[in-house]
Amino acid sequence: MDILQMLVVIAVLVLLVKPLGTYVYHVFSNEQNRLDKVYGGTEQFIYRLIGLKRREGMSWKVYALSFIATNIVLVAFSYLILRLQNALPFNPNAIGSMEPTLTFNTVISFMTNTNLQHYSGESSLSYFSQMAVIIMMMFTSAATGFSAAIAFVRGITSKGKTIGNFFEDFVKAHTRIFLPISFIFTLVLVALQVPQTLDPTLTVKTLEGAMQQIAIGPVASLESIKHLGTNGGGFFGANSAHPFENPSPLTNVIEILCMWALPAALPYTFGLYAKNKKQGWVIFSAMMCLFLVFLSVAYTSEKVGSPAMNTLGIDASQGSMEGKEVRFGIAQSALFTTVTAAATTGTVNNMHDTLTPLGGLVPLAEMMLNVVFGGKGVGLINMLMYAILAVFICGLMVGRTPEFLGRKIEPREMKLIAIAILAHPFIILVPTAIAFMTDLGQGAISNPGFHGISQVLYEYTSAAANNGSGFEGLGDNTPFWNISTGLVMLFGRYISIIAMLAVAGSLVRKQPVPETIGTFRTDNALYTGLLIGTVLLIGALTFLPVIVLGPVAEYLTLR
Amino acid sequence: MDSQSKSGSGNGFSILSVAIRISIVFMIICGILYPLASTGAAQLLFPHQANGSLLKDSSSEVTGSELIGQSFTDPGFFQGRVSSIDHNAAGSGSNNFAPSNPALIERTKASIEEWKANNPEVPVDQVPIALITNSGSGLDPHITPKSASVQIPRISKVTGLSQAELETLVKEHIEGRDLGLFGEERVNVLKLNLALSAKLGK
């Protein structure tokens, strides 16, 4: 039953890829289509409101500038709201102003689609902040990432000087994808018992006569965009393990598919842009192969459980249940964990800190690779970055100028890709080392031994991959952690997006090379294997030593 | 796509102006209109669910939410899972013990000793791991069906109800997998105890 229920979810996902990928293509292809009738009017109205007169294409520099400017403005507004939330409306629980470094961390976290949370929603945010900052940024950061991915795909698949208009992409991502789908799923989740109210925290008299407080709020409207936008920040501290955020296995499956479907459909969209659907399926297959390996490890490891618990004489046949919920059991927990780390959502339905050593290694490794489906848009960009690297390495081996989709890959592109690939381990490993060298960093560790190393490593990996889940025992609401992870999230988000937009800007201007018999094909099984190999090779070379110090050492010493 | 990227939205000032206006527009749409419209529609269509799926006792007083676990200390009630926050749903979470954390083993050993003292009839190797581990939320409303049935001998002794009666009661409260496939079989502790308490006429 466990295996079957996981396979059914995966099968539904695969069925969604083609229709959803086609839909996304029609949204952004800027060709006339039926959707214009439905959404055109609203969009024209928004274009007028924002003063966007002509929607001509932008060079990559203007595109990057536009999305950075928009993000900066959103960050500024949000910072003010969180600092002033005590004086703003919709604050029935009388929550005070947020501390400056925590506010810095929170706004960066949500703008970068990370949703690392150093606060607990129940006690630190007013309903107004939950809506106007958290929910708002869940939409806008997802739309930003999505737009960047589409612009990148346009750059590597078309010929011209421009990669699209950021503001138009940003508006369409909202009106045609995120807003309508979120609204529908909000109502579905409410029907399945997720609360949606503006009433304050309830107080009830329990069956045994004690008083119980129950935090509540506009949960469902956050829950749907949290997954759809691969954001992951919970309304409550316990995130999707909280019964109000995720009341049943059915909502669990819906949340899994919501966060997984769009990242999984993007490779198909890419195939449509490249006018070669097989090219899209190659990228999808590489992602899915890696995913299945990770899922198998997570499930097996949690099912076997921890030897330290299994030898206490209890009936431990169910598997490792510490930090998990009974309604989900092992299968729905392992699947959720593998998907949340793959899609870099960062929502959790079980506490990752309590996972068995190898079970905990799964999300960690997925975030280190950062290409197994990946977050809204960014995962596809990263995978294509590796795709170009793979043709480059193969080109070197056979002594030919590497080409990808009919474009020559030259030093300028490779330098930019090298920067993007090296930045990721750099912003994980250097801050981790700094944290270990200082009392400020070490003081936050809550679990002794090798697991403490994993806690710190996980925090920075999650920040760099813009995932946002945590080994939550870590006492991370201090200025040191708020500022250091805030900076890591910033670099993790913008370095790779800007570098890859630059690659797109450079490729879009190149004269396509005609395909010949000697062209190295990038749409077959051999290339899929090479791509997976490249991803694993780079990942292993950069991260293996530190993984051995953390999860592997814990696994080997756990008795 | 045309190539006139230098005109229109191409200059710095107009980019900033559009960026500010687009931010304000989407703060209003996504941050205010969307959640308020969702709240309105949810309250209209599904008021029970939207307000926390509250349960009432026999005297129709609200006694909790069917989704939020409660603490039960009376040995005559079925008990839920370990909660480091004592089921205080003003917050949520657990103490995030890693499998290698000695505190986890100590806590579990203490739970085992407590079990032995309160349930001499049921040997420890019958106790499911889910019953003596901390849930992720600290608010788990469910236990596994077996976690309920191992508590029957104790409850029978305290309340005087026969084991067969209690077994029927537990069986009636087993919720199956969703759509017959997803998740695990489970028993809602609060609902079960409400039924038990009605049976005892408390």
Side-chain angles (χ1 to χ4, degrees):
Chain A
M1 210 60 164
D2 276 5
I3 311 268
L4 183 67
Q5 59 178 298
M6 292 191 281
L7 286 180
V8 167
V9 177
I10 294 171
V12 173
L13 176 90
V14 173
L15 291 177
L16 283 172
V17 165
K18 195 175 163 184
L20 209 54
T22 312
Y23 180 78
V24 172
Y25 174 76
H26 286 310
V27 169
F28 292 107
S29 69
N30 294 342
E31 293 157 7
Q32 294 255 327
N33 61 58
R34 277 175 299 164
L35 295 171
D36 294 341
K37 284 210 185 98
V38 188
Y39 299 108
T42 320
E43 284 161 3
Q44 292 301 331
F45 179 64
I46 293 174
Y47 295 143
R48 267 210 300 284
L49 278 181
I50 63 176
L52 187 68
K53 293 189 193 74
R54 291 187 302 274
R55 302 190 299 282
E56 67 260 22
M58 294 171 166
S59 69
W60 80 266
K61 280 183 188 156
V62 177
Y63 200 100
L65 199 65
S66 303
F67 98 76
I68 291 170
T70 308
N71 281 198
I72 289 174
V73 174
L74 289 168
V75 161
F77 281 139
S78 302
Y79 186 87
L80 288 177
I81 292 177
L82 292 182
R83 298 281 290 135
L84 300 172
Q85 63 177 350
N86 48 329
L88 291 166
F90 295 117
N91 187 9
N93 295 324
I95 285 167
S97 162
M98 197 183 246
E99 185 267 328
T101 65
L102 181 58
T103 313
F104 166 78
N105 186 278
T106 303
V107 294
I108 298 294
S109 172
F110 281 83
M111 192 69 257
T112 56
N113 203 251
T114 312
N115 296 206
L116 198 66
Q117 294 171 293
H118 288 179
Y119 64 90
S120 268
E122 299 97 322
S123 52
S124 309
L125 290 180
S126 72
Y127 291 167
F128 187 73
S129 301
Q130 290 273 23
M131 299 191 302
V133 175
I134 303 302
I135 293 181
M136 180 277 290
M137 279 190 154
M138 285 182 167
F139 278 102
T140 49
S141 66
T144 305
F146 220 71
S147 304
I150 296 293
F152 178 71
V153 168
R154 284 193 195 115
I156 64 172
T157 57
S158 66
K159 170 83 186 81
K161 282 183 179 165
T162 70
I163 55 173
N165 184 300
F166 169 72
F167 297 115
E168 184 183 10
D169 291 343
F170 184 82
V171 170
K172 280 183 169 175
H174 282 99
T175 53
R176 300 193 185 195
I177 299 178
F178 294 121
L179 278 166
I181 306 183
S182 293
F183 187 70
I184 294 167
F185 276 103
T186 297
L187 293 183
V188 171
L189 288 174
V190 176
L192 296 170
Q193 295 189 301
V194 179
Q196 176 72 22
T197 171
L198 295 172
D199 289 346
T201 299
L202 309 167
T203 306
V204 298
K205 196 169 167 196
T206 67
L207 190 51
E208 284 199 338
M211 295 317 262
Q212 183 186 37
Q213 289 203 305
I214 302 179
I216 196 165
V219 185
S221 57
L222 180 145
E223 210 57 30
S224 57
I225 183 61
K226 161 181 144 189
H227 292 98
L228 201 63
T230 65
N231 294 286
F235 192 95
F236 302 106
N239 210 308
S240 275
H242 196 294
F244 274 167
E245 291 203 28
N246 196 356
S248 64
L250 191 57
T251 56
N252 197 58
V253 170
I254 291 174
E255 291 179 8
I256 287 175
L257 289 171
C258 270
M259 64 171 138
W260 199 5
L262 278 169
L266 269 182
Y268 188 82
T269 309
F270 161 67
L272 292 176
Y273 267 104
K275 303 205 168 44
N276 181 353
K277 287 180 198 163
K278 269 170 80 187
Q279 188 66 61
W281 286 115
V282 160
I283 301 290
F284 178 86
S285 319
M287 291 171 165
M288 188 51 104
C289 288
L290 289 166
F291 177 85
L292 291 174
V293 172
F294 282 122
L295 177 62
S296 314
V297 175
Y299 174 72
T300 316
S301 180
E302 294 308 302
K303 187 77 199 166
V304 170
S306 152
M309 292 290 280
N310 294 353
T311 47
L312 291 177
I314 49 176
D315 173 8
S317 59
Q318 198 186 350
S320 174
M321 284 302 288
E322 176 75 13
K324 293 192 183 64
E325 302 284 298
V326 161
R327 61 195 179 281
F328 305 137
I330 301 296
Q332 288 293 330
S333 298
L335 183 61
F336 200 95
T337 289
T338 314
V339 174
T340 190
T344 72
T345 311
T347 168
V348 294
N349 80 348
N350 65 89
M351 295 300 122
H352 286 187
D353 217 351
T354 62
L355 289 169
T356 57
L358 295 186
L361 173 60
V362 165
L364 188 61
E366 281 182 304
M367 295 188 298
M368 285 171 167
L369 300 182
N370 208 9
V371 295
V372 187
F373 296 105
K376 198 54 60 256
V378 186
L380 178 69
I381 295 186
N382 286 341
M383 193 51 132
L384 291 173
M385 180 165 91
Y386 278 96
I388 297 175
L389 182 67
V391 292
F392 178 73
I393 293 174
C394 296
L396 287 185
M397 287 193 288
V398 296
R400 292 176 50 93
T401 310
E403 292 161 16
F404 187 63
L405 305 178
R407 281 163 186 77
K408 285 207 170 85
I409 306 300
E410 289 170 306
R412 178 180 154 80
E413 291 83 54
M414 287 319 300
K415 278 180 197 158
L416 287 163
I417 288 175
I419 289 173
I421 288 184
L422 290 176
H424 186 60
F426 188 84
I427 59 175
I428 293 172
L429 298 175
V430 171
T432 302
I434 293 172
F436 283 125
M437 286 188 298
T438 58
D439 292 339
L440 288 172
Q442 283 206 3
I445 295 171
S446 73
N447 281 305
F450 298 113
H451 194 88
I453 297 178
S454 308
Q455 279 189 306
V456 173
L457 181 63
Y458 194 102
E459 182 77 1
Y460 285 113
T461 309
S462 174
N466 296 140
N467 178 290
S469 63
F471 276 10
E472 289 297 344
L474 192 73
D476 49 19
N477 182 14
T478 63
F480 171 83
W481 287 96
N482 287 338
I483 292 170
S484 66
T485 54
L487 293 174
V488 170
M489 289 187 280
L490 266 183
F491 295 136
R493 175 79 163 178
Y494 294 105
I495 289 177
S496 71
I497 289 192
I498 293 171
M500 297 317 285
L501 283 178
V503 170
S506 153
L507 288 179
V508 80
R509 290 161 170 272
K510 289 197 180 184
Q511 200 58 46
V513 203
E515 201 172 292
T516 65
I517 186 105
T519 303
F520 179 68
R521 297 203 65 86
T522 56
D523 58 359
N524 54 20
L526 172 68
Y527 180 73
T528 312
L530 286 170
L531 179 55
I532 295 173
T534 309
V535 168
L536 290 178
L537 193 69
I538 303 278
L541 285 173
T542 36
F543 291 114
L544 213 48
V546 70
I547 282 177
V548 169
L549 288 176
V552 174
E554 187 189 7
Y555 171 71
L556 293 174
T557 51
L558 188 59
R559 294 277 178 274
Chain B
M1 279 175 260
D2 68 33
S3 58
Q4 299 169 347
S5 56
K6 284 279 170 272
S7 63
S9 52
N11 77 58
F13 178 75
S14 77
I15 288 181
L16 192 62
S17 143
V18 177
I20 292 174
R21 289 162 78 168
I22 206 171
S23 301
I24 294 172
V25 166
F26 280 97
M27 281 189 105
I28 294 170
I29 297 178
C30 303
I32 296 173
L33 296 182
Y34 158 77
L36 292 186
S38 301
T39 310
Q43 290 288 340
L44 199 68
L45 295 170
F46 310 107
H48 173 70
Q49 294 96 317
N51 292 309
S53 306
L54 300 178
L55 285 177
K56 292 180 174 159
D57 63 9
S58 41
S59 52
S60 58
E61 291 257 353
V62 172
T63 187
S65 162
E66 68 167 280
L67 295 174
I68 303 293
Q70 296 187 353
S71 294
F72 290 98
T73 46
D74 181 343
F77 277 131
F78 288 92
Q79 284 160 9
R81 301 182 64 195
V82 179
S83 168
S84 61
I85 56 169
D86 201 22
H87 297 98
N88 178 0
S92 60
S94 75
N95 30 25
N96 280 298
F97 287 148
S100 56
N101 193 329
L104 171 67
I105 307 304
E106 272 165 42
R107 191 203 70 207
T108 314
K109 281 184 175 159
S111 297
I112 291 173
E113 289 312 313
E114 203 186 317
W115 178 268
K116 284 182 186 159
N118 296 332
N119 302 272
E121 312 83 354
V122 182
V124 172
D125 64 7
Q126 297 289 309
V127 180
I129 187 165
L131 190 58
I132 53 168
T133 43
N134 202 129
S135 68
S137 61
L139 303 171
D140 198 338
H142 298 112
I143 51 178
T144 60
K146 199 182 161 205
S147 303
S149 55
V150 290
Q151 300 189 47
I152 287 177
R154 180 193 75 229
I155 293 168
S156 166
K157 204 167 66 183
V158 176
T159 61
L161 290 172
S162 77
Q163 295 209 12
E165 260 180 298
L166 287 166
E167 267 159 32
T168 322
L169 195 67
V170 168
K171 212 166 268 172
E172 281 167 7
H173 281 83
I174 295 180
E175 299 167 21
R177 296 168 188 263
D178 287 15
L179 307 180
L181 176 65
F182 298 119
E184 303 291 329
E185 286 193 334
R186 55 207 185 270
V187 174
N188 186 305
V189 184
L190 179 56
K191 282 183 177 171
L192 178 61
N193 281 335
L194 276 170
L196 177 64
S197 132
K199 211 171 182 98
L200 292 168
K202 273 190 198 171

